Amino acid sequence: MKREITKEDKELAAAGYEHLEEQKHKGKVEGKDDLENVDIQEHRMSLHDLSQTLGTEIDSKDPGQSYGLTSDDAKTRLLKDGPNILTPPKKKSALRKYLDCLMTMFNLLLIIAGILEYVLLGIDFKDNFANTYLGGILIAVAFLNAFIEFYQLQKSEAILASFLAMIPPSCRVVRDGTLMSIPAADLVKGDIVLIRSGDKTPADLILFAANDLKVDNSSLTGESEPQERFPRPNGANVRPVEADNLVFNSTLVVNGEGWGVVVRTGDHTLIGQIASLTGGESGNRSPLSIEIGRFVLMVSAIAILFAVVFFVVGITTVYKGKAAQTVTFAVSILVAFVPEGLPSVVTLLLSIAAKRMAAQNVLVKDLQGVETLGTLHQLTAYEGLTLLATDKTGTLTRNQMTVTNIWSGEKMYSAFQSNNDNPDTLPFSIDAPGMRETVDIAALNSRVKFDKTDVPFEQRKILGDATETGLTRFAGRYISDYDGHQKAYPKVFEIPFNSTNKWALVILNKKHENGTLTAYIKGAPERVLAKCSTYLKDGKEVPITDDFRKAYDKAYDYMASRGHRVIANAQKLLPSPDYDSNTAFAKTDGNYPATEYCFVSLTSLEDPPKHGVREAIGTLRLAGIKVMMVTGDHPKTAEAIARKINLILGDTKDTLSAKTGRPIEEIYDDEVEAVVVHGDDIDGLQGWQWDQIFAKQEIVFARTSPQHKLEIVKRAQALGHIVGVTGDGVNDSPALKKADLGIAMNISGSDVSKEAANMILLDDNFASTVKGVAEGRQIFVNLKRSIQYTISHSTPEVIPQLLYVVVPIPLPLSAILILVIDLGFELFVALSFAWDKPETKDGLMRMSPRKPVNDRSILSLKKQALRRTKTLRRDPETQEVIPPSRFSIWMGKVKATFTRAFWVDVFERADGESLVDTKLLSYAYLEAGVIEMVGALVAYFVVFFKNGFGPSDLRRAQISGRAYPPNFLIMLEYFTKSSPDFLNSRGEIIPAWKQVDALGQAQSIVYLSVFIIQCFNVYAVKAKFSYPFGKSIVGNYYNLAGILAGACLGMFIVYTPPLHVVFGGSVHLSPLYWLIPIAFGVLLLGWASIRVVLMRKSIEQSRVKDIKGLMMFPTMRTMSMRSRH
């Protein structure tokens, strides 16, 4: 039952989803000429000729019995042909990477400014000789800045490369008649390889046996649909790309299984011959890297604008036509505004984060992203994560299935020692009715393989998925000769399980009273039951009745509600003469028994949650991240597991109905916080229904297909969510690829899922996602602190320059001293923020995501989308959208600036936090910046006063230095070695040497004041949750090292006489003057403490509230061993 929704509400809800409805998949065929010219001919040969040519033994009737190559032969071939690896694509040279680092906006501004100084030197060498130092330093700093960034990039690349080497691709191969797993690099021509759904093909293979095998060739041919592949005993006389008996290296197996013989390895494979397909770089950019790019452009534009303005003001006032000096003055303004070290800070932050993630067994897969700004896109995607969609089996659970209960003949049996079953549950016995058939279906309708067959069953490693492995382990306990049992009943026909059918069928040569063939089917209970007309009871087939269906529903709910996976089993004894050994079964024609089966049993398997999953999900939810389960399991099973792991705490409509006795139809959507959506309902959901689902805090999607998972991700992204997806199977790969952050499992994950993901959890530990979120958020905080700290010095650098022009007073800071501030101690201290640790233990992980998705943000997005929709041009007949031209798009943007809606959107209050927002700018320019400026100017005037210059004297001296009108011939210039004596307001005469020394002392104290107050600012910018005095604030020893290095640099510049030629300065500056900026530094810490108090309420409001019922104790073993209450 739903509350009334108006037409306007539905129209608004549908907005933003149109592009998802209109998307059509179009395959692009790239490198077509290359595909035509490849040199592969083996697919034309018959299997017999191929076997002779390659010198290997294959058995197409029973491929598992193929002997393959001997180990010695394989070693010889490996030495002859080399390893099965592709020559990596040509990477950028170290020089090219360095040049990329050098060609950033900030570095280019420095280089241009430096070149400009040298141009002035060429115009007038004598007067501009001092600019030699300034120009050289500007250019050198740009190169040094680029080197720091380049060095960190190289380190990051080395870290990631070492972790890629930890997970070499492997494959299943038959050697010496034994199926084994070996590194794919050791494959040689003639090897027999088994490929299965989820595998990445390790080499070019010719198939000699296959069962419903489909491969994804889109990376090679652009075909969007999976292509079916099967053996051709006599070969296929077509082009290689059209051969359906040939499977190419690096293509992904998405369905079925096949046996093939290796015909090409390494660079001789099809993909190895097409160099153009092995290159190409990812163009993904995270929201954070986009913000950094915008900030760089914004600051650069402001710096250029102010430099031009100050140039114009300077040349018309204080410098009166002296272009050379005015340019140097404008350069100082440019340098003051630009945070030159930002690219290095970003790179270092991400490099350190990558190292930390590597220590947590998290592999950042995309190496190509390391070569650009916005490096390690996946790490920065973690910091903005708002929704995490996770698979269940193998991701949240251990992927260790154990058979627990069997329901057959309307009786429940326990197959696992348990003390919390119902009293009427019987102990399992192989002689009980229906049990022998259940065991046979588990053993014979199976596609598992064993690593060895010459050891007892208990000692074998089973190669197969978790469900089949659990069923095989169960069946093996009751079959004395497992291999003999399988050989006694050979397969005649098989349809493997897939995510579309959700069942697996096998027809065996197994005799019975009415014939020689028996069909077994197992799969999703609702799908299997739909094919049945009878059920097995006490060894006899009995028609299915309503009473049986009620008993079935009760048993199914009992199993599923305990969080168990439930499999249904059925059989059909195929009668002669309708079915015999000559019957040609075919899946494509539907020529196989699909109805009139006899229901045998329900089998439940328990897969307990992984250790740490419950706490991890609780932590993510307390961090404001919505976690939802997307699984192929039954809704009851999914909900039961979700309740064990903190994913569902509240009521769904079903549970509320059971509690209150109200019919489900009478329960409103807004009465419940949890929802379980069945996959069958997804295709029919409208926009407003998707909105209602995503508005819930606790969401489970069950019985979903791969296409459903992809649709869920797209719908969430359309609402503004930054979506992460975790998964391990083939069915997760489309969603992993589409997500902003795809996370695959290494141990239980398929090759297909690893190929699609951005990150791989090497130890399959779901809790690593929590560490990723914490690391991503800390990256953002540290980067923000670094920017906040760096731009705080702009005000004390720029305002004194303004006073120099307007008042005027002697120049407080020279351009070269500004450069020393920005690229001397400032750069190293700014870099030290990369090692900052969280301010409080759980502060960051109790805050909402910095750009949360809520009702207001969704409404804003939808209003914009609705306006866009109404302005789109459509074809009058088909109503399809006509794509606008680039010019139309550009004109539309220009026109939009003159509309009310545009400015409403611009000034609309957003709940999110940006990298550079008004709070940061206010603190840097108006709070800390003003304190630093006042402190520096106070020290400046005190030093001058002690040297005989009052403020009025400084103004008089500076005005005297300006050009007089033309009828005046005398121009007095003070504060130079050749200056005349100056008579101050106290009647004292100050000679030239003392004027120069006074200016040197004044400029030195301004420089030192900025440095000293910035030392205090290092800790002030960290104060958000707590005062700037705690251990967490001062615990970063790299900050202290940066400050110490800055102090050494400052002392060296100020108190080393030979350097005064370049930097100015004076050895006569008394250390007592340092007390002035120290006092203002203490004032800054005091103000930072006041800010903590003032902002405490708003920070408290943005904290995620405690969640009632959250279980934060460890996930314990849940294998039905709890006592019954």
Side-chain angles (χ1 to χ4, degrees):
M1 187 174 178
K2 302 176 183 62
R3 304 194 192 278
E4 190 66 28
I5 296 179
T6 65
K7 182 182 176 183
E8 289 75 14
D9 290 337
K10 288 187 178 183
E11 192 180 58
L12 185 62
Y17 291 132
E18 295 83 359
H19 63 290
L20 301 181
E21 310 292 348
E22 293 169 0
Q23 277 176 354
K24 295 180 180 178
H25 301 287
K26 296 178 182 179
K28 293 191 295 182
V29 181
E30 300 179 32
K32 197 169 184 179
D33 293 338
D34 292 332
L35 293 173
E36 296 288 342
N37 298 327
V38 291
D39 177 27
I40 296 178
Q41 303 298 328
E42 289 86 352
H43 62 286
R44 303 176 189 271
M45 301 169 67
S46 67
L47 291 177
H48 179 267
D49 292 343
L50 189 65
S51 176
Q52 295 295 316
T53 303
L54 297 175
T56 188
E57 294 183 29
I58 60 177
D59 185 344
S60 57
K61 291 185 178 179
D62 189 356
Q65 297 303 309
S66 300
Y67 190 79
L69 300 174
T70 64
S71 297
D72 292 337
D73 193 8
K75 287 179 183 177
T76 304
R77 296 187 185 199
L78 186 62
L79 289 172
K80 178 187 174 185
D81 297 333
N84 175 39
I85 55 175
L86 294 169
T87 301
K90 189 176 180 180
K91 291 187 176 181
K92 289 181 181 178
S93 66
L95 178 61
R96 173 71 187 278
K97 290 179 184 177
Y98 179 74
L99 289 175
D100 285 345
C101 295
L102 187 63
M103 293 296 110
T104 60
M105 178 65 81
F106 291 160
N107 287 340
L108 285 174
L109 287 176
L110 290 176
I111 291 170
I112 292 169
I115 292 172
L116 204 56
E117 293 295 333
Y118 278 105
V119 169
L120 296 174
L121 189 67
I123 295 171
D124 188 344
F125 185 85
K126 186 178 179 181
D127 289 346
N128 294 306
F129 181 74
N131 294 342
T132 308
Y133 304 108
L134 180 58
I137 291 172
L138 283 167
I139 295 171
V141 160
F143 277 85
L144 176 64
N145 205 16
F147 176 77
I148 294 171
E149 185 179 0
F150 167 74
Y151 175 72
Q152 290 301 330
L153 289 177
Q154 291 293 87
K155 281 181 65 177
S156 298
E157 192 165 350
I159 292 168
L160 302 184
S162 67
F163 270 81
L164 278 178
M166 290 178 61
I167 50 167
S170 61
C171 61
R172 290 177 286 269
V173 63
V174 177
R175 286 184 182 170
D176 300 317
T178 303
L179 183 66
M180 61 182 71
S181 182
I182 67 168
D186 293 343
L187 272 185
V188 296
K189 288 169 67 174
D191 264 328
I192 305 299
V193 175
L194 168 64
I195 52 175
R196 282 186 158 166
S197 179
D199 289 348
K200 187 176 182 180
T201 311
D204 284 359
L205 311 175
I206 298 294
L207 297 173
F208 62 87
N211 197 332
D212 200 23
L213 181 68
K214 290 183 179 179
V215 294
D216 178 6
N217 282 348
S218 58
S219 61
L220 286 176
T221 63
E223 297 163 304
S224 57
E225 291 298 318
Q227 305 297 302
E228 193 165 0
R229 292 291 179 262
F230 38 79
R232 293 280 189 184
N234 299 317
N237 192 23
V238 292
R239 295 180 307 129
V241 290
E242 295 173 350
D244 47 22
N245 62 338
L246 179 58
V247 184
F248 300 116
N249 182 18
S250 299
T251 55
L252 304 173
V253 182
V254 295
N255 196 65
E257 73 174 22
W259 294 82
V261 57
V262 177
V263 292
R264 295 293 180 98
T265 60
D267 288 337
H268 300 289
T269 60
L270 179 130
I271 196 170
Q273 295 181 45
I274 309 172
S276 64
L277 294 180
T278 60
E281 295 185 3
S282 171
N284 271 342
R285 294 188 68 196
S286 71
L288 185 57
S289 66
I290 292 169
E291 283 192 52
I292 292 169
R294 285 176 182 165
F295 172 67
V296 167
L297 288 175
M298 180 189 76
V299 170
S300 300
I302 292 172
I304 293 169
L305 177 65
F306 269 79
V308 170
V309 169
F310 272 70
F311 176 82
V312 173
V313 172
I315 205 165
T316 55
T317 56
V318 70
Y319 290 113
K320 277 291 180 183
K322 295 181 180 179
Q325 292 180 359
T326 317
V327 166
T328 303
F329 175 65
V331 165
S332 68
I333 298 297
L334 184 77
V335 170
F337 265 108
V338 174
E340 294 86 354
L342 182 64
S344 300
V345 173
V346 173
T347 308
L348 182 64
L349 276 167
L350 296 172
S351 176
I352 291 170
K355 201 178 291 184
R356 285 179 188 155
M357 295 300 286
Q360 305 293 345
N361 286 321
V362 178
L363 168 67
V364 182
K365 198 186 75 175
D366 185 8
L367 273 176
Q368 295 162 341
V370 182
E371 298 183 357
T372 57
L373 182 66
T375 55
L376 306 186
H377 153 74
Q378 296 80 16
L379 281 177
T380 55
Y382 255 131
E383 61 86 23
L385 204 65
T386 60
L387 185 146
L388 182 66
T390 176
D391 183 38
K392 180 179 77 69
T393 306
T395 304
L396 301 176
T397 59
R398 299 178 199 173
N399 214 21
Q400 299 169 358
M401 293 285 188
T402 304
V403 174
T404 52
N405 292 93
I406 297 168
W407 183 78
S408 180
E410 301 182 83
K411 294 178 182 178
M412 184 70 73
Y413 298 87
S414 175
F416 185 82
Q417 183 182 359
S418 173
N419 59 359
N420 74 334
D421 279 313
N422 286 339
D424 55 353
T425 300
L426 304 173
F428 177 85
S429 170
I430 190 66
D431 298 319
M435 296 302 104
R436 179 72 63 183
E437 289 83 353
T438 299
V439 169
D440 274 350
I441 293 172
L444 301 175
N445 187 359
S446 174
R447 304 181 69 200
V448 300
K449 300 289 187 292
F450 302 104
D451 61 336
K452 298 175 183 177
T453 55
D454 56 350
V455 297
F457 181 84
E458 294 78 16
Q459 298 175 20
R460 298 178 184 180
K461 181 181 178 182
I462 300 175
L463 308 174
D465 67 47
T467 303
E468 291 214 325
T469 298
L471 292 171
T472 301
R473 288 277 180 217
F474 166 71
R477 297 207 296 264
Y478 304 102
I479 299 174
S480 56
D481 182 7
Y482 198 91
D483 298 326
H485 192 67
Q486 286 193 319
K487 289 177 182 176
Y489 307 114
K491 293 179 181 178
V492 175
F493 175 73
E494 184 178 18
I495 298 177
F497 180 90
N498 63 55
S499 56
T500 305
N501 292 339
K502 297 191 184 295
W503 50 259
L505 167 69
V506 66
I507 298 176
L508 307 166
N509 196 345
K510 185 179 182 185
K511 294 183 180 179
H512 51 88
E513 290 181 1
N514 301 322
T516 59
L517 300 180
T518 301
Y520 286 149
I521 189 170
K522 70 177 182 184
E526 58 270 29
R527 300 289 179 93
V528 172
L529 185 64
K531 296 180 179 295
C532 298
S533 56
T534 61
Y535 71 98
L536 195 66
K537 186 173 184 180
D538 298 327
K540 297 178 181 178
E541 295 188 9
V542 180
I544 290 176
T545 62
D546 289 341
D547 288 339
F548 169 81
R549 291 185 184 277
K550 288 179 182 177
Y552 160 88
D553 288 339
K554 184 178 179 182
Y556 192 179
D557 283 348
Y558 170 75
M559 292 172 161
S561 62
R562 300 168 79 194
H564 298 182
R565 173 168 287 182
V566 186
I567 303 293
N569 307 295
Q571 67 177 16
K572 184 171 185 176
L573 308 179
L574 304 180
S576 297
D578 297 341
Y579 299 96
D580 56 30
S581 57
N582 297 320
T583 303
F585 297 103
K587 177 190 174 186
T588 51
D589 301 329
N591 189 19
Y592 60 89
T595 56
E596 303 299 320
Y597 279 81
C598 174
F599 183 88
V600 173
S601 62
L602 287 174
T603 303
S604 70
L605 301 97
E606 183 170 20
D607 184 14
K610 290 179 180 177
H611 290 300
V613 163
R614 175 189 292 153
E615 306 96 285
I617 290 176
T619 304
L620 290 172
R621 292 191 62 183
L622 287 172
I625 296 169
K626 190 174 291 188
V627 185
M628 65 183 187
M629 183 191 294
V630 185
T631 178
D633 262 333
H634 187 273
K636 291 280 186 184
T637 303
E639 183 181 343
I641 289 291
R643 290 190 181 280
K644 290 180 182 179
I645 58 174
N646 279 332
L647 216 148
I648 290 184
L649 301 173
D651 282 322
T652 62
K653 283 188 176 183
D654 286 340
T655 58
L656 187 60
S657 173
K659 281 182 182 178
T660 61
R662 294 161 57 195
I664 292 176
E665 296 77 16
E666 292 183 6
I667 296 175
Y668 290 111
D669 282 308
D670 52 12
E671 288 185 74
V672 294
E673 281 298 314
V675 62
V676 179
V677 183
H678 197 291
D680 292 345
D681 300 329
I682 289 177
D683 293 329
L685 291 176
Q686 297 178 28
W688 61 272
Q689 291 171 311
W690 280 107
D691 287 356
Q692 284 187 331
I693 290 169
F694 283 117
K696 304 297 180 193
Q697 292 303 311
E698 301 166 345
I699 309 169
V700 170
F701 289 95
R703 282 287 187 253
T704 55
S705 67
Q707 193 57 39
H708 289 150
K709 293 186 179 185
L710 179 61
E711 183 72 8
I712 290 163
V713 172
K714 287 180 178 179
R715 296 281 176 172
Q717 288 173 329
L719 292 177
H721 280 288
I722 303 295
V723 181
V725 172
T726 61
D728 64 344
V730 182
N731 57 341
D732 300 315
S733 58
L736 284 168
K737 198 166 188 176
K738 178 63 180 171
D740 298 287
L741 183 67
I743 309 165
M745 303 292 151
N746 177 42
I747 300 168
S748 62
S750 66
D751 290 342
V752 178
S753 65
K754 293 177 195 175
E755 184 78 10
N758 308 117
M759 279 185 170
I760 299 173
L761 304 183
L762 296 176
D763 57 357
D764 284 19
N765 186 4
F766 180 81
S768 296
T769 55
V770 175
K771 293 167 185 164
V773 171
E775 198 63 57
R777 290 188 175 188
Q778 192 62 44
I779 286 173
F780 177 79
V781 168
N782 290 353
L783 187 55
K784 190 160 187 171
R785 285 175 180 172
S786 183
I787 292 172
Q788 190 169 341
Y789 167 81
T790 303
I791 65 176
S792 292
H793 66 231
S794 295
T795 302
E797 288 173 355
V798 173
I799 298 300
Q801 304 285 12
L802 189 62
L803 296 178
Y804 166 63
V805 173
V806 175
V807 175
I809 58 175
L811 186 64
L813 268 181
S814 64
I816 205 159
L817 279 179
I818 290 175
L819 202 61
V820 171
I821 292 172
D822 292 9
L823 298 159
F825 69 84
E826 287 279 285
L827 178 58
F828 296 107
V829 175
L831 288 173
S832 71
F833 283 101
W835 285 276
D836 268 2
K837 293 180 180 178
E839 189 178 342
T840 59
K841 187 176 179 181
D842 64 346
L844 288 178
M845 294 303 288
R846 285 303 304 268
M847 304 298 288
S848 297
R850 69 184 186 91
K851 291 195 173 178
V853 176
N854 50 35
D855 292 343
R856 181 162 44 204
S857 70
I858 291 172
L859 184 63
S860 176
L861 270 178
K862 286 184 173 294
K863 284 180 177 178
Q864 292 174 33
L866 191 61
R867 285 198 297 271
R868 265 197 320 270
T869 305
K870 291 179 177 179
T871 57
L872 288 174
R873 290 176 57 217
R874 295 180 181 271
D875 187 289
E877 295 181 3
T878 63
Q879 286 302 302
E880 289 185 3
V881 175
I882 302 173
S885 64
R886 287 186 180 181
F887 179 75
S888 299
I889 294 172
W890 182 79
M891 283 300 296
K893 289 179 179 179
V894 173
K895 290 178 181 177
T897 58
F898 297 99
T899 62
R900 179 177 179 274
F902 173 84
W903 294 106
V904 168
D905 290 342
V906 167
F907 290 106
E908 186 174 18
R909 188 170 71 86
D911 295 328
E913 180 183 4
S914 301
L915 182 65
V916 180
D917 52 19
T918 52
K919 287 182 181 177
L920 183 147
L921 295 174
S922 170
Y923 175 87
Y925 291 129
L926 302 179
E927 298 167 33
V930 168
I931 290 173
E932 288 185 27
M933 176 201 70
V934 173
L937 288 176
V938 167
Y940 169 86
F941 285 116
V942 167
V943 167
F944 261 127
F945 185 79
K946 284 294 183 180
N947 281 277
F949 291 91
S952 60
D953 295 327
L954 292 175
R955 185 171 185 276
R956 183 160 51 87
Q958 198 65 14
I959 289 175
S960 300
R962 288 190 175 181
Y964 283 89
N967 56 328
F968 286 81
L969 300 176
I970 301 172
M971 186 180 104
L972 301 175
E973 187 174 355
Y974 294 102
F975 303 106
T976 66
K977 290 180 181 179
S978 58
S979 298
D981 292 344
F982 180 79
L983 181 65
N984 68 14
S985 56
R986 288 175 278 180
E988 300 168 347
I989 296 175
I990 303 172
W993 69 267
K994 195 170 182 181
Q995 295 174 33
V996 172
D997 186 62
L999 180 62
Q1001 287 187 47
Q1003 289 185 340
S1004 297
I1005 196 60
V1006 171
Y1007 163 72
L1008 288 175
S1009 294
V1010 174
F1011 162 67
I1012 291 169
I1013 302 175
Q1014 279 288 76
C1015 290
F1016 287 90
N1017 195 29
V1018 168
Y1019 304 104
V1021 295
K1022 299 182 187 183
K1024 183 176 181 181
F1025 301 109
S1026 56
Y1027 299 111
F1029 314 111
K1031 184 180 178 182
S1032 61
I1033 300 290
V1034 299
N1036 182 355
Y1037 298 113
Y1038 288 97
N1039 287 155
L1040 294 173
I1043 289 170
L1044 184 63
C1048 293
L1049 178 67
M1051 299 305 102
F1052 182 62
I1053 287 173
V1054 172
Y1055 294 104
T1056 306
L1059 295 181
H1060 296 168
V1061 178
V1062 181
F1063 300 103
S1066 171
V1067 294
H1068 300 119
L1069 181 68
S1070 171
L1072 289 174
Y1073 292 124
W1074 301 356
L1075 294 174
I1076 298 171
I1078 288 173
F1080 278 90
V1082 172
L1083 175 64
L1084 180 59
L1085 289 182
W1087 171 244
S1089 302
I1090 293 171
R1091 285 182 91 247
V1092 170
V1093 175
L1094 295 175
M1095 295 175 63
R1096 186 165 286 168
K1097 187 175 180 181
S1098 64
I1099 290 173
E1100 196 60 39
Q1101 287 175 346
S1102 61
R1103 280 175 63 91
V1104 178
K1105 303 296 183 288
D1106 290 334
I1107 300 172
K1108 187 178 179 182
L1110 210 58
M1111 301 174 286
M1112 297 303 288
F1113 48 86
T1115 312
M1116 305 300 290
R1117 182 173 171 81
T1118 58
M1119 288 293 294
S1120 304
M1121 296 297 289
R1122 298 178 302 279
S1123 60
R1124 186 170 66 250
H1125 295 286

